[in-house]
Amino acid sequence: MSRTEEFTALRPLLFAIAYRILGSVSEAEDAVQETWLRYEGTAAEPTSVKSFLSAVVTRISIDVLRSARVRREAYPGTWFPEPLVDDPYEDPARSAELADSVSMAALVLLERLSPLERAVFVLREVFGLDFTEIAATVERSEPACRQLASRARRHMAEGRPRFDADRREREELAARFIEAFREGDVDGLTELLAADVQVIGDGGGKAPAFPRPVAGREKVTRAFHAFAEMLSAADLVIEQHEVNHQPGMVISTADGQLLAVMALDVLDGHIQTFRGVMNPDKLAHLGPVADAWAVQARAVQARHERP
């Protein structure tokens, strides 16, 4: 097998590692590309290509994350990861760990960790690497890696998100919500929401978003009812789609330009949290992106012009 073929076969795994460390599709793709350039430029043949490439992409991701954290600290408003609507990597033996680790809630929680803690946690808890390999990858001793992993687990356990276990039930609840949303069915919306439900948006200062979370069933219902009116006025399309391995929806214009991607956390048969990404920079990897401010202005104008 040629180096190109070996790398192509492992590319989904490398992206999966990089995305969980970075929380950014574009940065993960860049890290994977840099990994290929380093592999291509290596004269020696690694004993294990998989181990070698996994170590390289992890080190690159750690370095990228260190500089990215400075930018994220100055980020306007709430920061969310770039949404992942199609995950290229599958491992039936670790499907639960892979799905839970890539949820919006988990990736936000991972932001609390240092770059080294995050990398060690991802390699150990998500991909099941032993500490000998992790130590070689992050260039630390095994005892140091065990300590990093323990500290990361404690931080994650403090706020670890919980979801209903039955994926089919979660998807069905999301479908019911979207249908009620489209129809402007206020009662139908309300009964699907948890009492302490929250809506949180990431516009990055480049798209309309709530300046702070909207919390509570009554307030969230009113917000979605108003949003449903805007959907109708602007002729927007809402489609159900898995987002970061959780139920979600994609909102776009009639001509297919993306406006928002939203992930739903479902627990105890109700929607607990809506996390919406509207920042166009975070949607560009999914296709053409609409000017959200212009769409909002057209919707307001259309509503005023209605008899």
Side-chain angles (χ1 to χ4, degrees):
M1 184 182 291
S2 69
R3 282 196 169 191
T4 301
E5 291 171 331
E6 288 176 320
F7 185 84
T8 299
L10 290 168
R11 191 181 189 101
L13 169 62
L14 303 179
F15 175 85
I17 293 171
Y19 179 75
R20 284 162 175 80
I21 294 174
L22 292 167
S24 166
V25 172
S26 54
E27 289 173 345
E29 289 175 341
D30 289 345
V32 171
Q33 183 59 28
E34 177 63 24
T35 300
W36 162 247
L37 294 176
R38 295 190 188 184
Y39 182 40
E40 189 181 34
T42 301
E45 195 62 41
T47 304
S48 167
V49 175
K50 179 179 178 181
S51 296
F52 173 80
L53 294 177
S54 297
V56 172
V57 81
T58 298
R59 291 171 194 155
I60 291 171
S61 297
I62 291 171
D63 289 341
V64 172
L65 184 59
R66 283 175 174 145
S67 60
R69 286 172 71 88
V70 176
R71 296 192 303 274
R72 291 175 190 179
E73 287 171 1
Y75 189 81
T78 301
W79 179 92
F80 282 149
E82 292 180 7
L84 186 67
V85 298
D86 292 301
D87 192 346
Y89 181 69
E90 294 182 1
D91 181 356
R94 302 193 67 80
S95 58
E97 291 88 346
L98 289 168
D100 289 349
S101 67
V102 84
S103 71
M104 284 276 186
L107 290 173
V108 169
L109 198 56
L110 281 167
E111 287 291 303
R112 299 181 184 181
L113 308 182
S114 72
L116 266 180
E117 287 173 343
R118 186 163 178 166
V120 170
F121 181 86
V122 167
L123 294 177
R124 178 63 180 173
E125 302 299 321
V126 180
F127 294 94
L129 271 65
D130 61 45
F131 281 108
T132 301
E133 189 169 359
I134 293 173
T137 295
V138 301
E139 300 175 315
R140 296 291 191 277
S141 67
E142 283 191 45
C145 288
R146 291 181 185 278
Q147 188 175 40
L148 286 165
S150 176
R151 195 157 58 232
R153 280 194 296 269
R154 284 200 307 271
H155 284 305
M156 293 297 287
E158 291 171 4
R160 183 179 293 278
R162 295 190 301 125
F163 310 109
D164 281 352
D166 193 306
R167 179 179 293 271
R168 182 180 57 81
E169 290 181 4
R170 282 182 286 164
E171 294 293 341
E172 288 178 355
L173 189 144
R176 288 167 56 201
F177 173 83
I178 290 172
E179 184 62 26
F181 188 18
R182 286 174 178 150
E183 298 296 326
D185 178 3
V186 177
D187 291 337
L189 285 173
T190 304
E191 70 177 17
L192 300 174
L193 305 177
D196 57 350
V197 63
Q198 288 192 88
V199 178
I200 313 169
D202 173 358
K206 298 183 178 183
F210 296 117
R212 59 186 61 84
V214 178
R217 184 183 288 142
E218 184 177 340
K219 289 181 180 179
V220 169
T221 298
R222 287 203 302 267
F224 271 111
H225 184 57
F227 191 26
E229 291 182 349
M230 192 187 91
L231 280 175
S232 176
D235 196 24
L236 300 179
V237 178
I238 178 170
E239 296 179 320
Q240 184 172 356
H241 203 297
E242 187 174 81
V243 177
N244 288 69
H245 282 282
Q246 296 297 322
M249 51 190 178
V250 175
I251 301 169
S252 57
T253 60
D255 61 356
Q257 295 185 78
L258 288 164
L259 192 69
V261 172
M262 191 167 285
L264 285 61
D265 292 352
V266 176
L267 181 66
D268 299 330
H270 292 86
I271 300 173
Q272 300 282 332
T273 310
F274 297 87
R275 292 182 173 85
V277 178
M278 288 74 75
N279 184 340
D281 295 344
K282 295 185 177 183
L283 300 177
H285 65 283
L286 300 174
V289 182
D291 181 337
W293 295 109
V295 170
Q296 184 183 62
R298 287 198 302 271
V300 171
Q301 182 178 1
R303 289 168 63 184
H304 283 281
E305 291 175 350
R306 285 179 178 175

